[in-house]
Amino acid sequence: MDFDFSWMSAPIFWLAAAIIFVVVEGLTMGLTTIWFAGGAIIALIAALLGAGLAVQIVLFFGVSVVLLLSTRKLFVKKLRTGQEKTNIEALIGKEAVAISAIGQLSTGRVMIGGQEWSAVCGVEGLTIEEGTKVKVTAIEGVKAIVIPLSE
C-alpha cells in the first residue's frame, strides 16, 4: 500500500503534529515539546507554500532545535519550572530574632518561624545582641548566617 503524501496531506500532518506537541507539553510542562510544535508550524507554512517534503522536514528539525537551544534556558529561568524551594531554602530572606548573642566566630541562637537555629553573624567584626531582629542570608550546614535588620 503506497502512502500518497499529496499537497493536502502534508499540511494536515504538520497541523496534527503541532497539536500533539502542544497537548504533550500541556500534560508534562517540561518545556521541551513546545519547541517542536513551533517547528511543526513552520513546516506547515512551508507545506502550504508548496515546499517539498525534504524542505519541510529540514525546516521542522532546524527550527525546533534552534528554538530549543536558544530559548529553553531563558524560559526555564523565568518560569522556574522544576524548581521548588526546599524547607531550608525557604528560610533564606526570612526575619528572625536573636535569642542569644551572635558573633562571626561565636555561635548564637535565633528563632526563625517558631524554630530555634544555631546562627553566626554574617558581618565581620560585629556582634548581634540578644533580642535583635535579624535577616537570614544563607544556611550553611545546620547554621543560619544572619545580619541585623536596619530599622
Side-chain angles (χ1 to χ4, degrees):
M1 183 171 187
D2 288 330
F3 179 71
D4 180 26
F5 207 70
S6 68
W7 72 273
M8 198 54 204
S9 60
I12 292 171
F13 171 80
W14 292 118
L15 179 62
I19 291 170
I20 290 168
F21 287 129
V22 169
V23 168
V24 169
E25 182 63 41
L27 294 173
T28 63
M29 299 299 285
L31 283 177
T32 48
T33 56
I34 194 68
W35 314 123
F36 292 96
I41 290 171
I42 296 300
L44 166 67
I45 292 169
L48 290 172
L49 294 174
L53 181 60
V55 172
Q56 295 170 38
I57 291 171
V58 168
L59 282 172
F60 167 72
F61 283 113
V63 169
S64 298
V65 169
V66 167
L67 286 173
L68 179 67
L69 295 177
S70 66
T71 59
R72 185 171 190 277
K73 279 187 179 181
L74 173 71
F75 279 93
V76 167
K77 186 183 290 184
K78 291 284 186 197
L79 299 175
R80 299 190 196 306
T81 61
Q83 294 179 341
E84 206 165 306
K85 283 188 174 183
T86 65
N87 290 339
I88 291 175
E89 290 170 335
L91 295 176
I92 298 171
K94 294 272 187 186
E95 287 187 21
V97 176
I99 55 176
S100 70
I102 306 167
Q104 185 180 22
L105 300 175
S106 61
T107 302
R109 308 289 293 167
V110 292
M111 187 66 70
I112 309 170
Q115 292 183 333
E116 196 173 313
W117 278 76
S118 296
V120 293
C121 182
V123 179
E124 189 174 333
L126 180 68
T127 298
I128 300 171
E129 299 299 323
E130 181 179 341
T132 304
K133 288 185 178 182
V134 295
K135 178 180 176 181
V136 178
T137 59
I139 303 290
E140 292 181 1
V142 294
K143 291 182 184 154
I145 310 301
V146 297
I147 59 171
L149 281 175
S150 53
E151 294 184 32

